Amino acid sequence: MSMFSGLIRVMERAARKAGGRLRRDFGEVEHLQVSRKGPADFVSKADMRAERTLYDELLTARPGWGFVLEEAGVIEGDEGKPRWIIDPLDGTSNFLHGIPHFAISIAVQEPRLDGKGWGEVTAAVVYDVIQDATYWAEKTRGAWLQDARLRVSARRGLTDALIATGIPFSGHGDFAEWSRIFGAIGPEVAGIRRFGAASLDLAYVAQGRFDGFWESGLNDWDTAAGCLLVREAGGFVSDFRGRSEPIHSKQVLAANDALHSKLHKLLAGSLR
């Protein structure tokens, strides 16, 4: 059985506290579906309340650490200390429409040793709010769902692979690029899914539910935790050129070693 470190316990406690409020708000959103105004304003407030809860809990637990927040932006911490990268509600559109698939994502990023910017992500929690399930990882300690060790899928062939993606929508993303990639990958795989929460897509890759995932046009708070989950579960994460960085958001491709290579070849070929 795995043992939470003190850091992961702090992160999980904060996620659970914010998640409890989101579950209550989600029940209200379902009722608001019939209102004339619609629930968009309510959801925005729910998002901000969750972010504030996470900020307060984590600041109390680790004074002096910085923050990268979806709503409040970058809050600088003390020099030489890590920072939190937080998405308080990943899957906002699902939440807005009463679809029970959304998560809280928290990652810890360390400062570079040379003092120039930010380096590796060393801890991650993705909390599936409705399922009350905590995916977590720490550098060199593996990836876990509660106390069960996670491993990426062992599938080697594309014809057996189930791949996740995010689809561009109004005002966001590059439809032409996505269409070219879909046209290259779609005919080669067993299926493609779009669930609408990138942090959970990456957690599912780490768990072996999905065999791979690609998306572009995301933000650091969407993928910081998920990238570490995949890597600690034995998978590979890169951008569309095959380069590996601590966080991939503008372009992310994740899978096991064999499938990553095959998917990258298809993806890169589609964009030439």
Side-chain angles (χ1 to χ4, degrees):
M1 178 178 290
S2 68
M3 293 293 292
F4 284 177
S5 68
L7 179 58
I8 293 295
R9 196 167 297 281
V10 162
M11 296 164 73
E12 192 211 24
R13 184 165 56 243
R16 285 185 176 276
K17 186 169 183 178
R21 183 60 182 265
L22 281 178
R23 276 192 295 273
R24 292 191 293 273
D25 287 342
F26 183 67
E28 293 299 317
V29 167
E30 292 183 297
H31 294 303
L32 286 170
Q33 291 296 328
V34 298
S35 72
R36 193 170 181 179
K37 183 178 180 181
D41 289 342
F42 181 87
V43 172
S44 177
K45 291 177 182 177
D47 198 335
M48 289 187 287
R49 280 195 297 265
E51 183 172 280
R52 185 69 202 195
T53 297
L54 293 165
Y55 174 80
D56 289 343
E57 290 289 311
L58 296 172
L59 181 64
T60 299
R62 295 292 189 274
W65 286 27
F67 287 83
V68 179
L69 300 159
E70 181 181 14
E71 303 298 336
V74 176
I75 299 173
E76 299 292 346
D78 295 343
E79 185 177 353
K81 288 192 175 181
R83 66 179 182 179
W84 305 102
I85 302 177
I86 297 172
D87 190 341
L89 178 53
D90 182 26
T92 304
S93 292
N94 287 344
F95 190 100
L96 176 68
H97 289 87
I99 297 171
H101 186 78
F102 51 90
I104 292 168
S105 177
I106 308 171
V108 174
Q109 188 176 27
E110 303 289 338
R112 286 169 51 104
L113 293 177
D114 61 9
K116 299 178 180 179
W118 294 93
E120 62 185 358
V121 173
T122 54
V125 162
V126 173
Y127 180 59
D128 185 331
V129 176
I130 296 300
Q131 298 297 323
D132 189 28
T134 302
Y135 295 86
W136 65 274
E138 281 189 286
K139 187 171 175 61
T140 75
R141 289 195 66 207
W144 304 79
L145 172 57
Q146 314 288 105
D147 60 0
R149 186 70 180 262
L150 300 181
R151 297 296 298 177
V152 292
S153 163
R155 293 185 181 90
R156 316 297 285 180
L158 287 173
T159 56
D160 298 320
L162 185 64
I163 308 299
T165 188
I167 301 174
F169 56 96
S170 178
H172 296 80
D174 186 332
F175 281 93
E177 177 193 78
W178 185 88
S179 296
R180 290 196 298 273
I181 297 170
F182 179 82
I185 293 176
E188 304 296 327
V189 299
I192 293 179
R193 300 289 184 268
R194 198 278 193 185
F195 281 10
S199 63
L200 284 174
D201 287 336
L202 288 163
Y204 282 11
V205 173
Q207 192 176 8
R209 286 179 167 176
F210 289 142
D211 300 296
F213 169 73
W214 94 86
E215 189 168 357
S216 61
L218 295 169
N219 296 288
D220 285 0
W221 51 78
D222 295 312
T223 64
C227 285
L228 183 64
L229 281 169
V230 172
R231 286 170 170 144
E232 287 296 314
F236 288 77
V237 186
S238 75
D239 63 13
F240 291 175
R241 294 186 179 183
R243 298 173 299 191
S244 182
E245 301 290 344
I247 302 171
H248 287 286
S249 52
K250 301 306 179 187
Q251 298 176 339
V252 56
L253 175 64
N256 66 31
D257 56 349
L259 292 179
H260 186 281
S261 176
K262 294 173 182 178
L263 288 168
H264 179 254
K265 183 177 181 180
L266 291 172
L267 189 156
S270 73
L271 298 180
R272 288 195 184 104

